[in-house]
Amino acid sequence: MIKECGEKEKGERRFLLLFKLKELLYDIGNMAWVEGHILESENLELRHTVQDIVQDGNRDRVARILDKAHCIVTEALYPYTSRELYLKWRDDRPERRHVFGILLRVPDDFSQTTMNLMEHLVHEYMVADVMQDWLTITHADKAAVWLEKREEALSRLRSCVNLRRGGQRVRRRLSPF
């Protein structure tokens, strides 16, 4: 979900990208079910292990990977997400979030289509990161596919940033030939 927040300030607008844990878990669960279903194995325990990614006992691992994925995509969007460093006491327990948010400060002329694409790529990255991690543990042969999906989403997300870095439009000179 994309939500504009705050008033416009000195040529920039603020948007909040929100990713609900419930929606992320739904997509992760669906992908894990499909991966387990298409396994070329008669081993029902292996299928069950792949498909149980969002069950109660495994949610702590999923929460940690989602926290990590959230940090990675926030950093990948650095020109729009940078903020002053503030110190906060933390430990290594996973945060119990229901929503992952990314606050973006973008130029006034930032494209809505780019914002929509960024929202979908962040969601795709977070799902693929969890799937890749889980399959590394449960079915290593399939982990490479999800690693590629994860890296593709991150690469495309970075290109959204690089094309618009500093709010400058990409312009090509017209050639008379």
Side-chain angles (χ1 to χ4, degrees):
M1 171 190 325
I2 302 171
K3 181 179 179 182
E4 187 164 11
C5 53
E7 295 188 19
K8 294 181 183 181
E9 291 181 19
K10 52 184 166 161
E12 73 177 27
R13 296 166 69 183
R14 292 177 184 217
F15 290 91
L16 188 58
L17 296 179
L18 297 172
F19 303 92
K20 295 179 180 178
L21 176 63
K22 181 179 176 182
E23 297 298 322
L24 291 164
L25 292 176
Y26 179 80
D27 285 350
I28 291 164
N30 280 341
M31 293 294 99
W33 187 87
V34 170
E35 285 292 347
H37 185 70
I38 62 172
L39 277 177
E40 295 176 4
S41 171
E42 297 300 319
N43 185 344
L44 294 178
E45 188 174 326
L46 176 61
R47 286 183 182 198
H48 178 72
T49 304
V50 169
Q51 293 172 334
D52 275 355
I53 188 170
V54 294
Q55 300 307 313
D56 288 338
N58 301 323
R59 284 205 183 169
D60 284 341
R61 180 68 187 167
V62 171
R64 285 185 189 278
I65 300 306
L66 285 173
D67 280 343
K68 177 193 69 149
H70 176 255
C71 290
I72 289 170
V73 294
T74 301
E75 184 65 20
L77 296 170
Y78 174 76
Y80 305 126
T81 60
S82 64
R83 286 181 262 164
E84 276 186 38
L85 177 66
Y86 64 93
L87 297 177
K88 177 182 167 184
W89 184 84
R90 293 187 56 135
D91 60 21
D92 64 346
R93 286 180 283 179
E95 292 185 35
R96 299 288 181 195
R97 300 183 197 206
H98 296 288
V99 176
F100 294 87
I102 300 174
L103 179 63
L104 300 168
R105 291 182 309 218
V106 298
D108 274 337
D109 66 343
F110 198 83
S111 169
Q112 179 67 50
T113 56
T114 303
M115 185 70 72
N116 294 343
L117 177 60
M118 287 168 55
E119 176 192 21
H120 290 290
L121 291 172
V122 169
H123 184 94
E124 184 72 22
Y125 178 85
M126 293 176 81
V127 169
D129 195 32
V130 171
M131 288 297 298
Q132 187 274 331
D133 179 78
W134 186 252
L135 289 169
T136 298
I137 298 165
T138 60
H139 194 273
D141 295 344
K142 288 290 193 169
V145 172
W146 287 94
L147 175 63
E148 189 175 319
K149 288 178 184 280
R150 181 186 77 185
E151 294 307 312
E152 175 67 20
L154 190 59
S155 174
R156 292 186 67 203
L157 189 60
R158 285 185 174 136
S159 31
C160 287
V161 172
N162 291 336
L163 287 174
R164 304 246 338 143
R165 179 168 280 147
Q168 301 297 319
R169 287 189 175 141
V170 176
R171 296 189 183 196
R172 296 182 184 173
R173 291 181 182 224
L174 295 176
S175 172
F177 303 104

